[in-house]
Amino acid sequence: MYYIAGLTLGLPSSSQALEGLAVFTTFRYTQYIVSSVHAIVPVANAEAGPIRSTPTSLIGKFIFLIHDLSFFIPPVTYILCVTFNHFVQPAWMQRMSLPDNYFQHETEVGLRVAACALTFVIRKFSGRIFKHLGNQWHAIGRREKPRVVQTGPYAVVRHPLYMSVLIQGVLFTLMFWSYVPLVVLGITAGAFAVKVPIEEDLIMKDPAIAGEYRAYMQKVPARIIPFLW
């Protein structure tokens, strides 16, 4: 509480301001990803046709849902719970916070603010990925008019959108100062480890692009993380 000219003002504390920044950044990132997918789907359907081939295995059918839910549930939960708790993390959320004894408070604040700033960089990077991917976007499967995308971020790794998701998972860990996004990051990475081979197997079964994609795999060996994966 602050007292000015006899008036009691409930101005936000520095911790509330930090949580507010994290909420705003998380909301803008999530809104951007959802709106980008919403905008690209009709374009992809109109220009490249509907998805004509999808996985036949049970895990192949559900893997997209698994990694989608694992990635979006933590930020949405954070936005709602912190906002409705007056920009203070609820007690149950604070019990899952990263340890404070390794960093000074100023360092923690600096890391959280830096993660917020980098989220806008990842947001811009994701936009570039969507631009190069264009009408070839799909949840999982092959479109009627497939094309091998090899430009922009796709010249570095074969699945750059997944790379951006993993990086954002690390940033969420710092922004929320919580173990939860780190645990979810492991689930998401595991889902990608299952999904990528399924996706690439579908591509290799298409005679129209199998040869081109095989050459692309040799040219760009990294699936998600350069030199590592």
Side-chain angles (χ1 to χ4, degrees):
M1 292 291 182
Y2 295 84
Y3 300 92
I4 300 177
L7 298 176
T8 303
L9 301 178
L11 297 179
S13 65
S14 58
S15 60
Q16 286 177 305
L18 183 58
E19 297 297 343
L21 175 62
V23 166
F24 172 77
T25 305
T26 305
F27 174 77
R28 291 295 294 163
Y29 172 81
T30 307
Q31 179 191 45
Y32 179 78
I33 295 299
V34 172
S35 62
S36 295
V37 171
H38 182 73
I40 205 172
V41 168
V43 174
N45 289 334
E47 296 181 357
I51 296 174
R52 67 176 183 179
S53 179
T54 57
T56 56
S57 65
L58 183 63
I59 187 64
K61 293 178 183 294
F62 285 97
I63 196 64
F64 172 75
L65 183 63
I66 292 171
H67 80 66
D68 234 26
L69 288 176
S70 68
F71 181 71
F72 281 106
I73 286 178
V76 171
T77 301
Y78 177 82
I79 291 171
L80 293 176
C81 291
V82 174
T83 300
F84 285 104
N85 199 45
H86 307 290
F87 296 102
V88 175
Q89 290 192 18
W92 65 266
M93 192 177 287
Q94 293 182 31
R95 285 194 290 270
M96 292 177 277
S97 295
L98 296 176
D100 296 322
N101 52 333
Y102 295 113
F103 302 98
Q104 293 183 346
H105 178 68
E106 293 76 9
T107 303
E108 175 188 334
V109 171
L111 288 172
R112 295 185 69 180
V113 172
C116 290
L118 288 172
T119 292
F120 286 96
V121 176
I122 291 297
R123 179 175 175 267
K124 189 172 183 62
F125 178 61
S126 299
R128 189 180 176 204
I129 295 171
F130 280 120
K131 181 179 178 180
H132 284 273
L133 184 59
N135 59 24
Q136 292 303 302
W137 184 92
H138 56 80
I140 183 168
R142 285 181 292 132
R143 291 200 172 272
E144 194 174 59
K145 301 173 185 177
R147 175 174 57 87
V148 179
V149 181
Q150 305 183 48
T151 58
Y154 287 88
V156 181
V157 295
R158 301 200 298 270
H159 302 274
L161 198 56
Y162 298 166
M163 178 175 66
S164 71
V165 167
L166 295 180
I167 294 173
Q168 188 57 52
V170 175
L171 295 179
F172 279 153
T173 299
L174 295 175
M175 287 166 58
F176 307 164
W177 204 252
S178 171
Y179 283 113
V180 174
L182 199 60
V183 173
V184 171
L185 179 64
I187 298 173
T188 305
F192 288 159
V194 174
K195 184 183 179 185
V196 168
I198 294 174
E199 282 188 315
E200 295 192 333
D201 182 61
L202 287 172
I203 295 173
M204 296 303 291
K205 288 179 179 178
D206 190 333
I209 58 172
E212 184 181 1
Y213 197 80
R214 187 177 295 107
Y216 173 57
M217 292 171 70
Q218 294 175 346
K219 180 182 175 183
V220 182
R223 287 177 167 176
I224 299 176
I225 303 174
F227 308 112
L228 294 177
W229 181 11

